Amino acid sequence: MNVLVIGGGGREHALVWKLRESPRVEKIWCAPGNGGIAAEAECVAIDPGDVAGLTTFAEKNRPDLTVVGPELPLVNGVADAFRARNLPIVGPSQIASQLEGSKIFSKEFLLRHKIPTAKLFGTFEYPEDAAAALKEVQYPLVMKADGLCAGKGVVLATNEDEALAFIDSAMRKNELGPAGRKLMFEETLVGEELSFIILTDGEKYAPLVPTRDHKRIFDENRGPNTGGMGAFSLDELLPNSLRETITRTVVEPTLRGLAADGIRYQGFLYIGLMITSGGPRVLEFNCRLGDPETQAILARLDCDLAEILYDLAVRRFDPAKFRWKAGASVCIVLASEGYPGKYPTGRPISGLTALADKTGVKVLHAGTRLFGDVIATSGGRVLGVTSAAATLDEAVSRAYEAVSSIRFDGMQFRHDIGTQTGLAHSAGN
Ligand code: AMP
Ligand code: GLY
């Protein structure tokens, strides 16, 4: 099989790593890939949002399977374009991807199908209406831009001044671009967050192993939100009774609701949940795998990923083929100085060669580039040091041991990934 992976982050490196282990896979292209992926696949310089460019490449090279990492190509319709040309692909259609691409679409879907979620205060197209609605809300208030905002579209306002400032920035000053023209306000939920990711053909589904990610930049979950500073997987995150409740109140109604709406959902569906005292509530849907959750999830994979994904793409999905390693896994993100704000690039990274053959540890690349034979930083999140072991403690200590031998100027990472203090709840953004 020749496989095309779309994307160039740590999640896509993890996909390439596991696809490469399959005896069925001969060649892998990755668009655009990164400095680490380049050692395991052929990187092709196509922007992941460029559906026309991806389609042209695929028509010429006829990959037997395409796997999509990020949301942008999906929201731009890459899966529809490939299916129309008989190119097997794993990923939801453009309309199905609206579950992530439009928070208002997703909220209306949840309410229509009575799936538990945060109470909606309103959706707004005009700043005057949004401001007037503030008389009726409770603080802290969750305010969300409708469209894709690369993590900047959700704000927790603790009072009316903060809420008015966000309305002004998104709806009057257009600081989030077209994605921020419409807003939605909802109730703030309190509890523990859990990512529940499934792979589905629209009818059958397989839950992946449960994960938690650490969103804030600093230890003890302090400081601004990031794309994710680390994640871990542990079966105990999801006791059977909770799994049963999530299946019955969220997963099954979601699949039934999609079918009832005439939407066939094929691909990964990421369900972001808040486990409140009243039970699980949906915070968000993503039409893809999470990053860095995927790195931790795939570290526990114990079956042929290429076979499962190919079967799905040609409509003979068999969820029973998934096998997972018992135990736990962790991914620790190493980020650039200044991230999640502005950060420098081009800083050389040392210590990687010595880790290449270390058993039980895999260094997955995110924002890296190869300059000659030097690997240098090229993004905010640079590397994800990933390890699976019999226990979470063991996975965590192995991964941190590996982290201690990697260096680049300004490197920052959290010291509490995979621990309870790392999940501490800190109020506000
Ligand atoms: P979203 O992009 O909708 O997932 O929101 C990003 C993050 O904001 C979530 O992962 C939560 O940490 C937080 N969040 C979103 N909605 C709510 C809510 N209703 N209550 C509390 N936190 C929320
Ligand atoms: N780590 C959260 C996400 O991928 O959306």
Short mmCIF file of all heavy atoms in Angstrom, two decimals, residues 103 118 142 144 154 156 186-189 193 215 225 274 283-284, ligand 1:
data_model
loop_
_atom_site.label_atom_id
_atom_site.label_comp_id
_atom_site.label_asym_id
_atom_site.label_seq_id
_atom_site.Cartn_x
_atom_site.Cartn_y
_atom_site.Cartn_z
N LYS A 103 -19.30 26.15 15.65
CA LYS A 103 -19.75 25.82 17.01
C LYS A 103 -21.26 25.97 17.13
O LYS A 103 -21.89 25.30 17.95
CB LYS A 103 -19.06 26.73 18.03
CG LYS A 103 -17.55 26.60 17.96
CD LYS A 103 -16.97 26.38 19.32
CE LYS A 103 -15.46 26.44 19.30
NZ LYS A 103 -14.83 25.12 19.28
N ALA A 118 -23.50 22.11 27.61
CA ALA A 118 -23.69 23.33 28.41
C ALA A 118 -24.92 24.09 27.92
O ALA A 118 -25.19 24.14 26.71
CB ALA A 118 -22.45 24.22 28.30
N VAL A 142 -19.00 31.50 29.22
CA VAL A 142 -18.18 30.99 28.12
C VAL A 142 -18.68 31.60 26.82
O VAL A 142 -19.86 31.52 26.49
CB VAL A 142 -18.24 29.44 28.07
CG1 VAL A 142 -17.55 28.93 26.81
CG2 VAL A 142 -17.56 28.84 29.30
N LYS A 144 -17.94 31.83 22.67
CA LYS A 144 -17.24 31.10 21.63
C LYS A 144 -17.48 31.74 20.27
O LYS A 144 -18.62 32.04 19.91
CB LYS A 144 -17.73 29.65 21.55
CG LYS A 144 -17.44 28.85 22.82
CD LYS A 144 -17.83 27.39 22.69
CE LYS A 144 -17.42 26.64 23.98
NZ LYS A 144 -17.70 25.21 23.92
N VAL A 154 -12.28 30.65 22.13
CA VAL A 154 -13.10 30.45 23.34
C VAL A 154 -12.55 31.31 24.46
O VAL A 154 -11.36 31.30 24.74
CB VAL A 154 -13.08 28.96 23.78
CG1 VAL A 154 -13.89 28.77 25.05
CG2 VAL A 154 -13.62 28.07 22.67
N LEU A 156 -13.39 32.80 28.53
CA LEU A 156 -14.17 32.71 29.75
C LEU A 156 -14.22 34.13 30.33
O LEU A 156 -13.21 34.62 30.82
CB LEU A 156 -13.47 31.75 30.71
CG LEU A 156 -14.26 31.35 31.93
CD1 LEU A 156 -15.07 30.11 31.64
CD2 LEU A 156 -13.31 31.07 33.09
N GLU A 186 -22.48 30.45 26.29
CA GLU A 186 -23.03 29.31 27.02
C GLU A 186 -22.57 29.30 28.47
O GLU A 186 -21.65 30.02 28.86
CB GLU A 186 -22.70 27.98 26.31
CG GLU A 186 -21.23 27.63 26.33
CD GLU A 186 -20.91 26.29 25.64
OE1 GLU A 186 -21.60 25.92 24.67
OE2 GLU A 186 -19.96 25.63 26.09
N GLU A 187 -23.21 28.46 29.22
CA GLU A 187 -22.94 28.28 30.64
C GLU A 187 -21.54 27.68 30.83
O GLU A 187 -21.07 26.88 30.02
CB GLU A 187 -24.03 27.31 31.14
CG GLU A 187 -23.72 26.46 32.31
CD GLU A 187 -24.59 25.18 32.34
OE1 GLU A 187 -25.03 24.67 31.30
OE2 GLU A 187 -24.79 24.69 33.44
N THR A 188 -20.87 28.06 31.93
CA THR A 188 -19.57 27.47 32.27
C THR A 188 -19.79 26.19 33.04
O THR A 188 -20.49 26.18 34.06
CB THR A 188 -18.76 28.44 33.14
OG1 THR A 188 -18.54 29.63 32.39
CG2 THR A 188 -17.41 27.84 33.52
N LEU A 189 -19.21 25.12 32.54
CA LEU A 189 -19.34 23.84 33.23
C LEU A 189 -18.13 23.60 34.12
O LEU A 189 -17.01 24.02 33.78
CB LEU A 189 -19.44 22.71 32.21
CG LEU A 189 -20.67 22.73 31.30
CD1 LEU A 189 -20.56 21.66 30.24
CD2 LEU A 189 -21.94 22.53 32.13
N GLU A 193 -12.17 17.34 32.69
CA GLU A 193 -12.29 17.15 31.24
C GLU A 193 -11.78 15.78 30.84
O GLU A 193 -10.84 15.26 31.45
CB GLU A 193 -11.51 18.23 30.50
CG GLU A 193 -12.23 19.55 30.47
CD GLU A 193 -11.55 20.57 29.56
OE1 GLU A 193 -11.27 20.23 28.40
OE2 GLU A 193 -11.29 21.69 30.04
N LYS A 215 -3.70 21.42 29.05
CA LYS A 215 -3.84 22.52 28.09
C LYS A 215 -3.03 23.76 28.42
O LYS A 215 -2.61 24.48 27.52
CB LYS A 215 -5.31 22.94 28.01
CG LYS A 215 -6.17 21.96 27.24
CD LYS A 215 -7.35 22.65 26.59
CE LYS A 215 -8.01 21.73 25.56
NZ LYS A 215 -8.67 20.57 26.21
N ASN A 225 -3.90 29.13 27.76
CA ASN A 225 -4.17 27.88 27.05
C ASN A 225 -3.21 27.70 25.87
O ASN A 225 -2.80 28.67 25.25
CB ASN A 225 -5.59 27.90 26.49
CG ASN A 225 -6.55 27.16 27.38
OD1 ASN A 225 -6.21 26.10 27.92
ND2 ASN A 225 -7.73 27.71 27.56
N MET A 274 -16.95 17.35 29.57
CA MET A 274 -16.74 17.75 30.96
C MET A 274 -17.54 16.77 31.80
O MET A 274 -18.74 16.59 31.57
CB MET A 274 -17.23 19.18 31.17
CG MET A 274 -16.91 19.73 32.55
SD MET A 274 -15.16 20.12 32.71
CE MET A 274 -15.12 21.81 32.14
N LEU A 283 -18.48 19.36 25.54
CA LEU A 283 -17.92 20.70 25.42
C LEU A 283 -17.72 21.05 23.96
O LEU A 283 -17.86 22.19 23.55
CB LEU A 283 -16.54 20.78 26.08
CG LEU A 283 -16.45 20.71 27.59
CD1 LEU A 283 -14.99 20.68 28.00
CD2 LEU A 283 -17.15 21.92 28.20
N GLU A 284 -17.29 20.05 23.20
CA GLU A 284 -16.96 20.32 21.80
C GLU A 284 -16.84 19.00 21.06
O GLU A 284 -16.60 17.95 21.65
CB GLU A 284 -15.60 21.03 21.70
CG GLU A 284 -14.47 20.16 22.28
CD GLU A 284 -13.06 20.63 21.94
OE1 GLU A 284 -12.89 21.30 20.90
OE2 GLU A 284 -12.15 20.30 22.71
P1 AMP B 1 -13.75 24.30 22.65
O1 AMP B 1 -12.92 24.87 21.55
O2 AMP B 1 -15.20 24.50 22.52
O3 AMP B 1 -13.39 22.94 22.97
O4 AMP B 1 -13.23 24.97 23.97
C1 AMP B 1 -11.88 24.89 24.34
C2 AMP B 1 -11.75 24.65 25.82
O5 AMP B 1 -12.49 25.62 26.54
C3 AMP B 1 -12.32 23.32 26.28
O6 AMP B 1 -11.44 22.26 26.09
C4 AMP B 1 -12.57 23.62 27.73
O7 AMP B 1 -11.35 23.59 28.45
C5 AMP B 1 -13.05 25.05 27.69
N1 AMP B 1 -14.52 25.12 27.60
C6 AMP B 1 -15.27 25.14 26.47
N2 AMP B 1 -16.58 25.21 26.76
C7 AMP B 1 -16.68 25.24 28.09
C8 AMP B 1 -17.77 25.31 29.02
N3 AMP B 1 -19.04 25.40 28.62
N4 AMP B 1 -17.48 25.32 30.33
C9 AMP B 1 -16.21 25.26 30.77
N5 AMP B 1 -15.14 25.18 29.97
C10 AMP B 1 -15.36 25.19 28.64
#
